[in-house]
Amino acid sequence: MDLSEVIDAYLVESDELLREMESILLRTESSLPNDEDLNAIFRAVHTIKGTAGMFGYETTVSFTHVVENLLDELRSHLIPFQPILTELLLKAKDHLSFLVSEETKGKIKNEKITFGQSILDEMKPFLQSSSGAPETNRENKENQIGNQEESNTNELKKSGTNPGVGKKITETTSYLISFRPNQNVFSQGLDPISFIGYLKKIGTILSLKTIDQFLPDPIEFDPENCYLGFEINFSSKENLETVQNVFNFIEADCFLHIYPPGFSVEDLVDLSNQLPEEEIYLGNVWKEIQILDDNLFLTYLEEIKSRKTGIPSLSSLVSQTNQKEESESIAKNQNADQIKDSHKSSTIKVDSKRIDNLINRVGELVVSCANMNQLIGDSDDSNLQESSLIVMRLLNEVREISLKLRMVPIGESFQKYSRIVRDLGKELKKDIRLITEGDETELDRNIVEKLSDPLTHLVRNACDHGLELPEERKKNEKDHQGTVKLTAYHEAGNVIIEVSDDGNGISKEKVWNKGIEKGIVFGEMPDSDEEVYKLLFHPGFSTASQITNVSGRGVGLDVVYKNIESLRGSISIKSIPNQGSRFILRLPLTLAIIEGFLVAVGKSHFIIPMEMVLECLHFSDDHKTDSNQFFALRGNLIPFLRLRDYYPCDVDSEQPRENIVIVRNGDKKAGIVVEKLLGEYQTVIKPMGSVFRHVKGVSGSSILGDGNVALIIDVPSLFERTITVENQKFYSHRG
Amino acid sequence: MEPKQTIQNTKEGMEIQWHGYLTVPFIKEWLIYTNQWETQKGKKIILHLNGIERIDSSGIQFLVFLKKRCQTNQQILSLTNHSLPVLKVLDLLGLVSFFGDRIKVKKEHSNEVEFRYGTRKVS
């Protein structure tokens, strides 16, 4: 059996559960957990324990066992929830997530086990202090269960007083499980006992009989074969599917039959025909495990006899109608359960590589369709043109749907920062609260993953550099609790993520002086905030006077900048003294396909991302100003650049007529002067070869329908480059 | 864990102290030892199980096998000093009444085994 896939599923599931547990625990810091929260945490630990047990990960099981005990006591209100438990349970969660991932790789080192033990030791006082009371409680509970069972059997007996009518066996939630492992299960590495043991995790084994009828004579006995079978009277609130899932791994190597509650004597007779043991022996077994009482046992024998002789028994005739009604009501109940479950199973897990593959293929399809469209456009066949339009429309839809497959709400990844902020607050002795906004904003999964590091860095920075110590905040008449805020929202085809704090802001003077000190800049401080703050992204730049564990080593912001740049995004900083600072990340929605606007300069083609295009104009003399850097548009001066100045292109034979495409980048507008406007164009981004990695102003390339290559213009970086060039001119002029 | 048996012959029969794992790979070795039992017709065989550190389905099957074999050989097999792993499996599979031995549960183990079913003698 190939376990690697199953283990992967275990890892993913555990990771999800532990994350959920963490987010609940973090919530408990501000408000006490309610029953639902405690149940959810308990379920998480319990599920991990169960699965780990099936794989035989004993370190994980023994650790979770104690944690589970503590949680069980909490959720039964045997002990009150105390804030210190949050800390302890978070520690346990961290250790557990280590155990889960490490134990799948092999044996866990002793020191780690000792560490786990130390956490458990810390839990002991809570467990022991309550050991007196809960035990009695637990006993009571069990007694209650016992009483219930008894009363159920009493009911059975009552109903059995008229054996002809009462054929339905259980009205409780009791299952009958017939489990006969194949002879070769031991050689498959499967241990039937572990599956039975697992049953106890989802319910109560009311009674169990080990069938040893097929143990052979001493001479034939082969210890490597399994000869045992099991009949189990099992009570659980779980549905049939969950009970069946317990035996998932052994399903192929055993005879398994599970009757959900509400089976009849007839069902048992059917089952006895499928089992290797004799009917009467089985009847006795079922009697022994309290599936049948004396009267029902007689009915059972009668039924067997009638089947053999072919004469229907009286009881079966009478109960046929009853049975039909019952099975209908059971079906109804099961339907309701299924509807409940259907919501749960509405998501499926898919390997992200498969989705990437699909998107790549759709991308190829988009390119070839564009090619086909161009050819069809040249022909006069109107039918052909019409159907090509339909294909294009459908393709657009497919493209949008497949791109959405990779979209995930950013809230999930925001969650982990609450833990980081909490731990940092403790470490830095600051009281910090994290607020997230726009959790539902969707973003390409690939981008979300790559954002993790830069965001972590920015959040850490905000906590360490941004926020002041509580005393200082009090002096400045601020709330002693500092706030770090993560905000996400959509804007013009981009996703904006802001990391802000309400600290003391970034001192422009300090940054500029440091820049001079480092020899990166010289002269007077410019008015533009942006230019000054840009220095922060310089490698090795740090204004922190003290190096802490958290930050201040001068590595970081430059890496953040590079990471964001590699995602075709941009980053800007806003800061107000004594009110805080804001890091604004602007990112494309997706990396694969863009809506572009195709333009040409000479014979070369360029694509400008559609979401940045505001309008297109003929670049006439009316617009031109004396300056060669600005043009007038409806009374406003807008900076512009000529693509031809940046990318020398062949000149078309005829005199070019200039057009200007007005683009926006964030809240700024600018113009790009081109020669031909070719219209909207859907395109797949092909990454540039490594030779062109450092070329600024171009984010990728695309193959046009006619086979030509078009460069995709990276508007933010093109403008940035322009500003840098202008600045250099400016300074060299001044220098 | 290597299996180890210490056999002591007494007037009534033999007392055997078992150690190690009662799992598939080791049972064949146990089987060789148990052939010595054939000479003990009509006598009592006591198995001390406190040394059993691990037992799985095949192990418990082996104990069931021994019990049945002793019954046909008119020997009395009695299991004693059950270790916690053995107790847990006997409890889970409801085999306590099958073996019919007296069982002592240490106080610290009382939470780990329930004996909620299967202790009744089979009629």
Side-chain angles (χ1 to χ4, degrees):
Chain A
M1 183 161 56
D2 180 21
L3 275 180
S4 63
E5 272 186 33
V6 196
I7 287 175
D8 279 348
Y10 161 65
L11 287 174
V12 171
E13 188 193 30
S14 306
D15 185 49
E16 265 172 28
L17 290 167
L18 287 172
R19 248 194 288 171
E20 189 193 344
M21 174 175 172
E22 186 181 65
S23 75
I24 296 173
L25 284 173
L26 289 173
R27 260 206 321 266
T28 63
E29 286 194 312
S30 49
S31 62
L32 280 178
N34 56 26
D35 284 359
E36 212 170 285
D37 290 340
L38 290 171
N39 278 332
I41 305 177
F42 177 83
R43 266 201 308 275
V45 175
H46 182 77
T47 313
I48 293 171
K49 178 181 149 184
T51 326
M54 284 175 80
F55 289 116
Y57 296 144
E58 281 173 13
T59 318
T60 310
V61 172
S62 59
F63 183 78
T64 39
H65 184 74
V66 182
V67 183
E68 197 188 59
N69 282 351
L70 176 68
L71 288 167
D72 193 28
E73 292 188 358
L74 280 173
R75 68 174 190 159
S76 325
H77 301 291
L78 296 173
I79 49 170
F81 193 89
Q82 301 159 42
I84 191 172
L85 286 174
T86 306
E87 188 73 41
L88 202 51
L89 286 169
L90 278 173
K91 245 196 240 175
K93 179 253 149 194
D94 287 346
H95 186 64
L96 190 53
S97 90
F98 168 82
L99 285 183
V100 165
S101 67
E102 288 304 304
E103 204 165 17
T104 52
K105 292 177 200 157
K107 211 169 177 265
I108 301 224
K109 281 185 194 155
N110 273 342
E111 67 238 49
K112 286 291 174 189
I113 297 177
T114 335
F115 177 71
Q117 193 53 46
S118 72
I119 299 176
L120 298 182
D121 287 345
E122 280 181 63
M123 281 181 186
K124 263 191 190 144
F126 299 98
L127 284 164
Q128 276 169 358
S129 67
S130 57
S131 61
E135 278 314 314
T136 48
N137 261 351
R138 214 172 269 164
E139 271 168 31
N140 282 341
K141 225 193 263 171
E142 269 169 24
N143 281 343
Q144 276 168 10
I145 296 170
N147 288 339
Q148 210 181 336
E149 278 162 30
E150 233 168 65
S151 65
N152 283 336
T153 17
N154 283 341
E155 270 173 37
L156 286 184
K157 278 178 190 159
K158 265 182 232 158
S159 65
T161 48
N162 186 356
V165 183
K167 284 192 62 179
K168 186 174 161 189
I169 292 177
T170 51
E171 284 175 334
T172 58
T173 46
S174 175
Y175 288 80
L176 171 64
I177 303 173
S178 292
F179 177 39
R180 302 285 185 282
N182 289 353
Q183 275 206 356
N184 62 351
V185 284
F186 296 155
S187 59
Q188 304 273 344
L190 297 166
D191 184 6
I193 291 180
S194 59
F195 297 93
I196 298 172
Y198 190 72
L199 275 178
K200 286 172 95 173
K201 297 190 189 339
I202 60 164
T204 317
I205 299 175
L206 297 178
S207 201
L208 183 148
K209 170 80 181 166
T210 304
I211 312 281
D212 55 13
Q213 265 216 325
F214 292 99
L215 268 178
D217 292 339
I219 307 160
E220 287 165 20
F221 179 77
D222 179 355
E224 287 183 9
N225 285 346
C226 178
Y227 306 103
L228 298 179
F230 308 91
E231 288 294 320
I232 309 164
N233 180 358
F234 178 63
S235 144
S236 172
K237 285 182 184 142
E238 303 290 343
N239 60 10
L240 178 62
E241 201 187 341
T242 317
V243 181
Q244 270 167 342
N245 283 346
V246 171
F247 297 93
N248 262 352
F249 293 110
I250 201 172
E251 212 171 27
D253 297 301
C254 70
F255 171 85
L256 178 72
H257 201 101
I258 304 176
Y259 273 125
F263 50 89
S264 67
V265 172
E266 266 188 2
D267 290 333
L268 291 185
V269 177
D270 287 341
L271 180 60
S272 69
N273 287 334
Q274 295 174 50
L275 289 170
E277 295 84 11
E278 279 175 22
E279 292 107 334
I280 297 179
Y281 173 79
L282 283 168
N284 275 315
V285 169
W286 289 326
K287 202 168 100 180
E288 196 184 320
I289 62 170
Q290 291 150 25
I291 290 285
L292 295 171
D293 65 7
D294 290 347
N295 289 316
L296 285 168
F297 179 59
L298 288 177
T299 322
Y300 169 79
L301 293 180
E302 196 188 324
E303 184 70 30
I304 289 171
K305 206 172 145 195
S306 75
R307 289 245 181 138
K308 279 187 181 155
T309 53
I311 307 164
S313 68
L314 179 67
S315 53
S316 70
L317 286 176
V318 177
S319 68
Q320 258 169 11
T321 40
N322 289 349
Q323 216 181 335
K324 204 178 161 195
E325 280 166 22
E326 278 156 14
S327 62
E328 270 169 10
S329 79
I330 288 167
K332 229 185 236 173
N333 285 342
Q334 276 188 346
N335 257 349
D337 283 347
Q338 271 168 7
I339 289 166
K340 238 191 254 167
D341 287 347
S342 71
H343 184 70
K344 276 188 206 160
S345 61
S346 60
T347 52
I348 53 163
K349 283 179 190 149
V350 184
D351 188 349
S352 61
K353 271 184 203 151
R354 289 191 188 178
I355 293 182
D356 288 350
N357 228 340
L358 172 74
I359 290 173
N360 274 341
R361 286 285 166 274
V362 172
E364 302 281 333
L365 197 60
V366 168
V367 172
S368 22
C369 260
N371 187 14
M372 187 185 78
N373 232 16
Q374 225 166 23
L375 295 175
I376 291 172
D378 296 341
S379 83
D380 296 330
D381 190 335
S382 63
N383 283 337
L384 196 61
Q385 281 172 354
E386 199 176 312
S387 56
S388 104
L389 280 179
I390 295 171
V391 172
M392 279 313 275
R393 186 175 55 80
L394 287 174
L395 183 60
N396 272 345
E397 280 167 20
V398 172
R399 184 192 66 118
E400 261 165 40
I401 294 167
S402 50
L403 280 181
K404 274 206 182 120
L405 288 180
R406 231 169 34 179
M407 294 295 190
V408 288
I410 194 145
E412 267 172 42
S413 61
F414 273 0
Q415 254 177 30
K416 75 170 184 192
Y417 298 106
S418 42
R419 179 71 188 275
I420 292 174
V421 167
R422 174 192 174 273
D423 289 355
L424 272 180
K426 293 240 156 117
E427 195 178 321
L428 300 166
K429 300 198 172 54
K430 292 177 183 175
D431 189 0
I432 313 173
R433 148 177 90 126
L434 179 85
I435 302 175
T436 60
E437 265 175 25
D439 287 16
E440 67 291 340
T441 311
E442 288 194 328
L443 191 55
D444 191 316
R445 192 192 155 87
N446 290 356
I447 297 185
V448 172
E449 272 168 17
K450 286 182 188 147
L451 262 182
S452 166
D453 283 351
L455 276 185
T456 309
H457 195 91
L458 291 177
V459 169
R460 290 171 77 100
N461 258 5
C463 294
D464 192 17
H465 294 314
L467 295 173
E468 318 90 326
L469 287 165
E471 307 87 61
E472 209 177 315
R473 289 182 70 89
K474 260 185 202 162
K475 258 186 237 161
N476 295 336
E477 293 175 353
K478 285 184 186 174
D479 184 9
H480 76 283
Q481 189 180 45
T483 309
V484 174
K485 200 164 148 190
L486 279 169
T487 319
Y489 54 93
H490 285 280
E491 190 192 88
N494 283 319
V495 172
I496 316 288
I497 297 169
E498 293 186 4
V499 183
S500 52
D501 62 69
D502 63 349
N504 48 13
I506 303 168
S507 157
K508 268 174 77 178
E509 286 79 22
K510 227 172 161 183
V511 173
W512 189 254
N513 291 339
K514 193 86 185 176
I516 292 176
E517 202 181 292
K518 295 224 168 215
I520 308 166
V521 287
F522 46 86
E524 272 174 42
M525 187 168 73
D527 288 336
S528 149
D529 291 355
E530 254 178 66
E531 263 174 64
V532 180
Y533 293 146
K534 203 168 280 167
L535 287 175
L536 291 171
F537 298 119
H538 210 274
F541 194 94
S542 173
T543 54
S545 43
Q546 233 182 339
I547 293 176
T548 64
N549 280 341
V550 183
S551 52
R553 289 181 194 278
V555 279
L557 273 184
D558 59 315
V559 180
V560 172
Y561 186 75
K562 268 190 197 137
N563 278 332
I564 300 296
E565 217 182 19
S566 72
L567 291 171
R568 288 196 288 121
S570 63
I571 178 166
S572 57
I573 305 174
K574 295 230 155 76
S575 176
I576 304 171
N578 203 28
Q579 284 189 28
S581 35
R582 202 147 54 104
F583 285 75
I584 304 157
L585 314 184
R586 192 176 296 276
L587 296 151
L589 271 180
T590 176
L591 296 172
I593 300 178
I594 58 164
E595 295 267 358
F597 188 72
L598 190 63
V599 296
V601 178
K603 282 177 185 164
S604 308
H605 291 88
F606 295 90
I607 292 166
I608 304 170
M610 198 64 194
E611 66 257 19
M612 293 185 169
V613 176
L614 282 179
E615 59 182 311
C616 304
L617 301 164
H618 171 51
F619 196 46
S620 64
D621 291 339
D622 307 345
H623 295 114
K624 287 179 184 161
T625 57
D626 293 341
S627 147
N628 206 22
Q629 286 169 12
F630 293 95
F631 75 104
L633 176 70
R634 297 186 283 269
N636 289 326
L637 278 183
I638 293 178
F640 74 90
L641 56 84
R642 281 195 166 77
L643 267 193
R644 183 175 285 287
D645 297 345
Y646 289 86
Y647 307 104
C649 311
D650 294 337
V651 186
D652 255 345
S653 47
E654 50 192 277
Q655 177 63 28
R657 186 185 116 109
E658 281 189 319
N659 291 297
I660 186 158
V661 181
I662 299 176
V663 293
R664 69 159 167 199
N665 181 28
D667 45 9
K668 293 189 195 78
K669 281 183 195 172
I672 299 175
V673 177
V674 296
E675 285 158 20
K676 267 187 216 154
L677 301 173
L678 298 166
E680 218 174 299
Y681 196 83
Q682 232 181 55
T683 185
V684 184
I685 299 183
K686 298 272 171 202
M688 307 276 276
S690 54
V691 181
F692 303 103
R693 207 174 43 211
H694 301 295
V695 176
K696 293 271 171 181
V698 175
S699 59
S701 64
S702 176
I703 299 161
L704 300 178
D706 57 4
N708 277 322
V709 173
L711 293 177
I712 297 165
I713 290 180
D714 180 2
V715 176
S717 86
L718 185 66
F719 276 86
E720 193 184 305
R721 196 184 101 155
T722 317
I723 293 163
T724 323
V725 170
E726 292 301 322
N727 276 354
Q728 270 167 5
K729 274 189 209 159
F730 176 71
Y731 288 121
S732 62
H733 176 69
R734 280 178 35 152
Chain B
M1 182 69 199
E2 287 299 314
K4 208 175 90 196
Q5 274 188 348
T6 6
I7 303 179
Q8 204 187 343
N9 285 309
T10 60
K11 271 184 197 169
E12 290 104 42
M14 57 202 286
E15 272 194 51
I16 305 161
Q17 177 82 45
W18 275 11
H19 292 276
Y21 286 2
L22 213 49
T23 55
V24 184
F26 302 117
I27 287 174
K28 280 206 167 158
E29 303 199 25
W30 294 124
L31 210 53
I32 301 165
Y33 286 106
T34 53
N35 286 336
Q36 295 183 22
W37 300 9
E38 296 297 331
T39 55
Q40 304 275 324
K41 278 236 158 79
K43 292 200 172 167
K44 188 170 181 180
I45 295 158
I46 301 172
L47 285 185
H48 292 268
L49 299 176
N50 50 338
I52 299 294
E53 294 161 26
R54 210 174 134 188
I55 181 165
D56 64 2
S57 304
S58 70
I60 204 74
Q61 172 177 281
F62 182 53
L63 290 180
V64 172
F65 164 76
L66 289 180
K67 181 83 184 176
K68 289 193 132 190
R69 196 178 116 171
C70 286
Q71 278 166 355
T72 41
N73 281 355
Q74 289 160 359
Q75 292 165 326
I76 298 166
L77 177 72
S78 129
L79 311 181
T80 181
N81 284 335
H82 306 73
S83 68
L84 183 62
V86 177
L87 275 186
K88 277 187 174 175
V89 178
L90 287 185
D91 177 31
L92 181 68
L93 299 188
L95 285 170
V96 177
S97 60
F98 170 80
F99 289 104
D101 299 299
R102 283 185 65 182
I103 284 176
K104 269 191 218 161
V105 183
K106 285 186 191 157
K107 208 176 175 190
E108 65 260 34
H109 295 158
S110 56
N111 283 341
E112 311 234 15
V113 279
E114 295 169 285
F115 298 122
R116 294 192 48 219
Y117 56 87
T119 47
R120 223 170 308 138
K121 291 260 180 202
V122 187
S123 51

